[in-house]
Amino acid sequence: MKNFTVERLSFDTLTELPNAWQNSDYQELLRNMSYDNPEEIEPAELKAMCLMSLTDLEPNEAAELVLNYLFADQLNAGQVENLAHQMLTEKLWEENPELSQHEGFFKATQLLYEAYNGKFPRTEAVQFQVQLTAAEPDGLTVFEEQPEAPVLRLLAQGMPDNTLLKRLFSEQLAGTSFPEAQDILWQLRKIKSEGQSVVFEVVSSAYWLDDFKYADTYEATTQADTSPEEES
């Protein structure tokens, strides 16, 4: 167990994930819509052309196309068809039982929301920077491998007791096995490390971490997950 001072440095709400879609993605989607030579489109025009081509389809057809692109190896045709219909009214990045697919559903919905001018649910994510200062000289070693779980344990302690994360994952937050942490923290980037302090930038769904915007500076403890080898 390691002791930390946790300080929230910033907090923003986003409707799009940073760097979620690249020009290569737009080109591939256009190819899937039978667009000839999308590589010849000017880079600055690619997104607009992709969005315009999507709107030539019915909304559920466009949703199927995007889901097939993002989840080619994970979903079968029947699942894609059902989910494409659900996407029109449901926030699948919150409501789908497969946590590992939430980020993909967010990416799909943010693109379709923009293409169809609001016919799909509005996406909402959070992005913030947090400084974690260890009380012990070796405290930062807890983040060396799979930092998502120990970081999430620290963040949770800055949120109310009734926050969803604590209600659904109380055992994982208290224990040493939290594989879901990597599916909850969609992007975790180390901004800087100095002495016994490290600054992380976090991107996640507002569904999980919106309550962190109220966090003040506080003291918290955390621990890394233990691997199966360590447990045996």
Side-chain angles (χ1 to χ4, degrees), residues 17 124-127 184-187 202-206 208-209:
L17 297 184
E124 191 175 341
V126 297
Q127 180 180 36
I184 293 171
L185 297 184
W186 293 342
Q187 297 178 22
V202 174
V203 176
S204 178
S205 171
W208 295 118
L209 292 180

Side-chain angles (χ1 to χ4, degrees), residues 7-226:
E7 182 183 0
R8 178 178 55 77
L9 302 178
S10 64
F11 195 96
D12 296 295
T13 301
L14 311 174
T15 54
E16 298 184 0
L17 297 184
N19 307 309
W21 292 96
Q22 307 293 327
N23 283 343
S24 57
D25 296 312
Y26 299 132
Q27 287 179 351
E28 202 57 44
L29 287 172
L30 285 163
R31 284 190 194 94
N32 294 347
M33 290 183 272
S34 303
Y35 192 100
D36 292 331
N37 305 317
E39 63 279 355
E40 294 176 7
I41 301 172
E42 288 292 323
E45 304 294 324
L46 262 172
K47 181 181 179 181
M49 187 61 73
C50 182
L51 294 177
M52 194 164 67
S53 296
L54 283 170
T55 56
D56 288 339
L57 304 170
E58 290 296 316
N60 62 297
E61 292 174 339
E64 283 189 37
L65 184 124
V66 175
L67 289 178
N68 274 318
Y69 175 65
L70 288 172
F71 296 111
D73 304 323
Q74 298 178 53
L75 302 173
N76 61 41
Q79 290 172 314
V80 167
E81 187 178 347
N82 289 335
L83 290 164
H85 282 284
Q86 290 176 31
M87 279 184 74
L88 282 158
T89 55
E90 296 178 28
K91 298 179 177 182
L92 292 183
W93 67 93
E94 297 178 358
E95 297 166 20
N96 190 274
E98 290 295 332
L99 211 61
S100 63
Q101 296 172 358
H102 280 196
E103 185 178 1
F105 286 128
F106 191 104
K107 287 171 59 174
T109 310
Q110 84 175 43
L111 189 72
L112 293 161
Y113 178 87
E114 188 173 357
Y116 285 89
N117 200 20
K119 277 190 180 175
F120 288 81
R122 184 176 181 271
T123 47
E124 191 175 341
V126 297
Q127 180 180 36
F128 57 86
Q129 290 189 7
V130 60
Q131 180 168 289
L132 310 174
T133 303
E136 300 92 3
D138 66 342
L140 298 186
T141 57
V142 76
F143 307 121
E144 285 179 356
E145 291 182 36
Q146 297 182 323
E148 291 86 358
V151 168
L152 199 51
R153 290 184 176 107
L154 289 170
L155 300 179
Q157 290 166 71
M159 297 194 287
D161 288 342
N162 65 350
T163 199
L164 186 68
L165 184 68
K166 289 186 176 181
R167 285 190 280 123
L168 292 186
F169 294 106
S170 58
E171 287 185 17
Q172 292 88 335
L173 288 167
T176 55
S177 178
F178 197 174
E180 299 90 348
Q182 295 187 50
D183 298 322
I184 293 171
L185 297 184
W186 293 342
Q187 297 178 22
L188 181 65
R189 193 162 62 95
K190 186 190 290 185
I191 301 295
K192 69 174 182 178
S193 183
E194 193 175 310
Q196 290 174 210
S197 291
V198 61
V199 175
F200 283 109
E201 183 176 77
V202 174
V203 176
S204 178
S205 171
Y207 183 65
W208 295 118
L209 292 180
D210 192 52
D211 281 342
F212 192 70
K213 67 187 173 192
Y214 304 115
D216 206 348
T217 302
Y218 58 95
E219 304 298 314
T221 60
T222 193
Q223 65 276 359
D225 276 5
T226 53

